[in-house]
Amino acid sequence: MDELLRDAAARAIRYRQNVGNRPVWPAAAALDALGRLDEALPATRQNDAAVLALLDEIASPATVATSGGRYFGFVIGSSLPATLAANWLAGAWDQNAGGVIQSPAAARLEEVATTWMLDVLGLPERCGTGFVTCATMANFSGLAAARHALYARKGWDVDRHGLFGAPPITVVVGEEVHVSVLKALGLLGLGRDRVVRVPVDEQGRMRADALPPLDDHAIVCLQAGNVNTGAFDPADAIVPQAKRAGAWVHVDGAFGLWAAATPARARLLAGYAEADSWATDAHKWLNVPYDSGIVFVRDAQHLRAAMSISAAYLVRGERRDPDDYTPEFSRRARGVEVWAALRSLGREGLTDLIERSCRHASRFADGLRAAGCAILNDVVINQVLVSFGDPETTRQVIAAVQADGTCWVGGTVWQGQTAMRISVSSWATTDEDVERSLSAMVRVAAEVRA
Ligand SMILES: *Cc1c(COP(=O)(O)O)cnc(C)c1O
């Protein structure tokens, strides 16, 4: 195994050394070469080194350079050096992180990482926490806890009896709700379309004055960080009202929640700590390798009631068993990289990572505005929306920027306007990456407009 693992490490190191010097989107020839993977299953045992070499030769060039410093599509983080290294080591451990009995080390790392996250995010220290695959599953898990809690209050054990004959729940979302929340509601039997949608303002923030009447059978879903504008629903105006009515407040904070780590942006999160459940990602702004999402629930018993298998099935010890808090039963030790990210960054490094991304986003906005482009959003964190004129021109500029290869940005439609969306979410992005990308955008836009 020695030589094989050394070879894998050497190839991975080479990849990361070069990822900043290649076009961000793979070359057409590299994509064509993926066709070589379409072969029949080998009939016999193959040489491991040859399998690895094939993987590296064909797939590495066809990857998107999301781990480099000039990928600004969707909201995609890179992986911090310490998290990638921890990921390799944890891969060698190959632990099943479901239970303490299977992996005391993985369980303890999750506990420590949880304590640190609750601290930097400003959330209640006794939250129940689940390490899941992504924010979609974190939203699912938080809403499952909400569903359990609201029904338990009415004397209905929804986890045992399901929704058959159960009294209805009202789910309130903003008009700008992320699609993953709707998907989670669908999976929970609460319905993607059965929601009450609250109108939003020009930044996509839910209007507190437009909330429907709430009661103790309602879930209000807030958003901390709109995927287009980065805007935050006004929790300080909504949460007290919702809590007074007895409603459950769930927060989708896939990336925005991390703004709490920087004092300069913390005001955006006013009121959020009073919610009941929170979903976030570690694979976005915390820059751990895919995949990694986290759910926090103020009253841990509700998450546990929704997620725990039967106590009779397993030997339970004194310590927290991770699989009591997640939809997954067997799973990888996801807490390892979260621990490594926070342990390596420290409070100062985390603040710097978040603040630096926001500063880069502002630089993009200023540079593009100076070049005559319209910035469609208030750049409050790391997201920038740019219009290059009419929808067709904007679409052409986006395609041309992507083809140029210096950087990669995607497109979106924001309140009816076609826009290029820049998301700065990577630790690896430097001032030079921003200036190079900005120049490429301005140059390409001028060519398209000409
Ligand atoms: C990215 C995102 C999600 C979904 O996150 P995944 O990790 O892709 O499941 C949910 N909500 C918001 C606001 C997001 O930006």
Side-chain angles (χ1 to χ4, degrees), residues 75 134-137 139 178 180 223 225 227 252 254-255 281 283-284:
V75 183
C134 62
T136 304
M137 284 316 287
N139 279 321
H178 193 271
S180 68
Q223 181 166 253
V227 75
D252 174 10
F255 61 101
D281 267 320
H283 59 216
K284 286 182 176 170

Side-chain angles (χ1 to χ4, degrees), residues 222-236:
L222 297 186
Q223 181 166 253
N226 178 283
V227 75
N228 283 312
T229 61
F232 290 66
D233 287 336
D236 48 355

Side-chain angles (χ1 to χ4, degrees), residues 59-75:
S60 291
T63 55
V64 180
T66 48
S67 57
R70 294 190 307 282
Y71 185 87
F72 307 109
F74 305 94
V75 183

Side-chain angles (χ1 to χ4, degrees), residues 14-35:
R14 213 153 46 229
Y15 179 86
R16 288 294 278 254
Q17 279 172 339
N18 294 329
V19 75
N21 307 324
R22 45 159 279 202
V24 177
W25 184 257
L31 294 175
D32 284 345
L34 288 173

Side-chain angles (χ1 to χ4, degrees), residues 184-401:
L185 291 168
L187 292 171
L188 287 162
L190 298 174
R192 293 187 189 207
D193 293 347
R194 222 190 122 277
V195 291
V196 178
R197 287 173 172 270
V198 178
V200 295
D201 68 11
E202 78 293 341
Q203 298 300 318
R205 292 173 295 218
M206 211 190 273
R207 277 178 38 208
D209 63 343
L211 277 182
L214 299 172
D215 58 21
D216 64 355
H217 227 44
I219 302 172
V220 180
C221 301
L222 297 186
Q223 181 166 253
N226 178 283
V227 75
N228 283 312
T229 61
F232 290 66
D233 287 336
D236 48 355
I238 294 174
V239 179
Q241 191 178 333
K243 298 303 283 267
R244 261 197 309 279
W248 179 287
V249 179
H250 172 75
V251 175
D252 174 10
F255 61 101
L257 216 50
W258 294 93
T262 153
R265 317 269 160 179
R267 73 192 151 75
L268 295 167
L269 283 137
Y272 275 96
E274 308 312 315
D276 296 290
S277 56
W278 303 262
T280 195
D281 267 320
H283 59 216
K284 286 182 176 170
W285 222 353
L286 187 60
N287 279 252
V288 309
Y290 281 90
D291 46 24
S292 191
I294 304 123
V295 60
F296 304 104
V297 177
R298 173 183 296 280
D299 190 343
Q301 63 163 327
H302 298 307
L303 182 60
R304 194 185 160 104
M307 296 298 161
S308 186
I309 295 189
S310 148
Y313 179 81
L314 295 164
V315 184
R316 305 268 90 164
E318 294 285 295
R319 299 201 76 95
R320 166 191 179 275
D321 272 299
D323 65 12
D324 280 337
Y325 299 88
T326 57
E328 295 88 356
F329 196 21
S330 295
R331 63 174 173 84
R332 73 181 191 93
R334 240 173 237 116
V336 172
E337 299 106 351
V338 176
W339 173 88
L342 294 169
R343 184 70 175 75
S344 66
L345 288 170
R347 204 180 294 276
E348 194 180 272
L350 178 64
T351 302
D352 177 58
L353 166 65
I354 302 300
E355 200 49 49
R356 199 156 25 95
S357 321
C358 296
R359 180 165 56 74
H360 289 325
S362 294
R363 171 66 191 131
F364 270 121
D366 293 345
L368 288 161
R369 214 181 270 117
C373 311
I375 304 302
L376 304 183
N377 66 314
D378 291 345
V379 180
V380 289
I381 47 171
N382 63 331
Q383 304 290 111
V384 188
L385 297 177
V386 193
S387 168
F388 295 91
D390 60 89
E392 190 45 36
T393 304
T394 299
R395 275 193 292 270
Q396 282 176 14
V397 173
I398 296 167
V401 169

Side-chain angles (χ1 to χ4, degrees), residues 41 79 126 216 246 258 312 371 405:
L41 174 69
S79 44
R126 298 189 61 80
D216 64 355
W258 294 93

